[in-house]
Amino acid sequence: KLNNARVAVMGLGGVGGAAAEALLRAGVGHLLFVDGDSVDETNINRQIIATDKTVGMNKTDALEERLVTINPDLKINKYNLFYLPETAEEIDLSEYDFVVDCIDNVTAKLELIERCEKLGVPIISSMGTGNKLHPEMLEISDISKTSVCPLARVIRRELKKREVYKLPVVYSKEEPIKHGISENGRPLPGSVSFVPSVAGLIIAGEVIKDIIK
């Protein structure tokens, strides 16, 4: 079942990279990667694909290069693009058994969630993992039951407008740490190695359990 399963991982940052590798190591035989970003040296503190050697590479290429050393038979589709309403048509998600949403752009997340809802493709979404230090507070919930997380609040409100009422998510009730204000008046984002990666592992576990249920 796992070898024949097709899973799409959207967004290859700290959460998405960890989720993709965990899915592969558990036996998933076909993965889709979507991310338009390249590896930056500031990613090294938390992203599994970020090393001194991969800085400057497209994240999709860096992840492929890493994962085929684990399973050379892994089947990979990849799109080096940012998933947005204007690029969504380029990717046919209907052929996938599960979609993992690790995108950090609200507009893109909503587009992806709504599209999966229409297609009937199962999806699980990562909420905010930045500015947090307690991975033990991460949990699986439906979006309707989330609290505290600012990103979950926005997604919950916007999905209700779109008449989407159910969405499994990984989120934390930990209050985001405030450690500075940016020029636009918002808290400065910060992240660390052990929170996004745990969120990715939790997501991978949920996908695996669903596939083999």
Side-chain angles (χ1 to χ4, degrees):
K1 270 190 170 182
L2 290 171
N3 188 52
N4 292 325
R6 300 166 65 86
V7 180
V9 182
M10 318 294 283
L12 304 180
V15 180
E21 182 161 321
L23 289 166
L24 164 72
R25 289 184 183 274
V28 173
H30 193 139
L31 292 172
L32 166 68
F33 308 146
V34 180
D35 198 310
D37 206 0
S38 57
V39 179
D40 187 88
E41 62 179 8
T42 60
N43 301 149
I44 291 176
N45 77 322
R46 68 193 184 283
Q47 296 187 13
I48 202 165
I49 56 173
T51 69
D52 185 60
K53 290 184 178 180
T54 61
V55 168
M57 289 179 65
N58 293 333
K59 288 186 175 180
T60 51
D61 295 336
L63 185 59
E64 178 180 26
E65 188 176 277
R66 178 182 175 89
L67 296 193
V68 295
T69 66
I70 301 168
N71 178 10
D73 296 324
L74 175 67
K75 296 178 178 65
I76 295 173
N77 284 1
K78 59 182 181 179
Y79 288 83
N80 184 42
L81 58 78
F82 292 107
Y83 188 88
L84 293 164
E86 53 266 32
T87 60
E89 288 292 341
E90 297 183 38
I91 304 169
D92 181 9
L93 294 173
S94 65
E95 59 188 63
Y96 289 89
D97 301 301
F98 222 108
V99 171
V100 172
D101 164 31
C102 304
I103 300 172
D104 57 9
N105 177 290
V106 171
T107 302
K109 286 182 96 68
L110 292 169
E111 169 69 30
L112 179 61
I113 294 163
E114 196 170 15
R115 189 168 288 260
C116 286
E117 171 81 4
K118 290 176 180 176
L119 292 171
V121 176
I123 180 172
I124 184 169
S125 289
S126 172
M127 297 293 106
T129 60
N131 293 341
K132 299 186 178 185
L133 289 174
H134 290 277
E136 72 277 10
M137 294 182 71
L138 289 162
E139 62 180 88
I140 299 283
S141 181
D142 187 80
I143 189 67
S144 63
K145 297 177 182 177
T146 55
S147 60
V148 180
C149 175
L151 178 58
R153 186 181 306 120
V154 173
I155 297 297
R156 185 173 66 243
R157 182 185 67 233
E158 294 301 319
L159 287 181
K160 192 174 182 180
K161 293 177 185 177
R162 292 160 172 78
E163 298 184 344
V164 177
Y165 300 107
K166 289 187 176 183
L167 174 71
V169 299
V170 173
Y171 87 110
S172 174
K173 291 178 183 173
E174 179 185 358
E175 290 283 355
I177 297 166
K178 296 177 181 178
H179 56 85
I181 302 297
S182 65
E183 291 180 1
N184 62 11
R186 295 182 177 181
L188 287 169
S191 194
V192 72
S193 59
F194 48 81
V195 179
S197 56
V198 171
L201 296 177
I202 292 172
I203 286 173
E206 290 301 297
V207 174
I208 294 297
K209 287 184 285 185
D210 185 85
I211 292 170
I212 65 173
K213 59 187 176 185

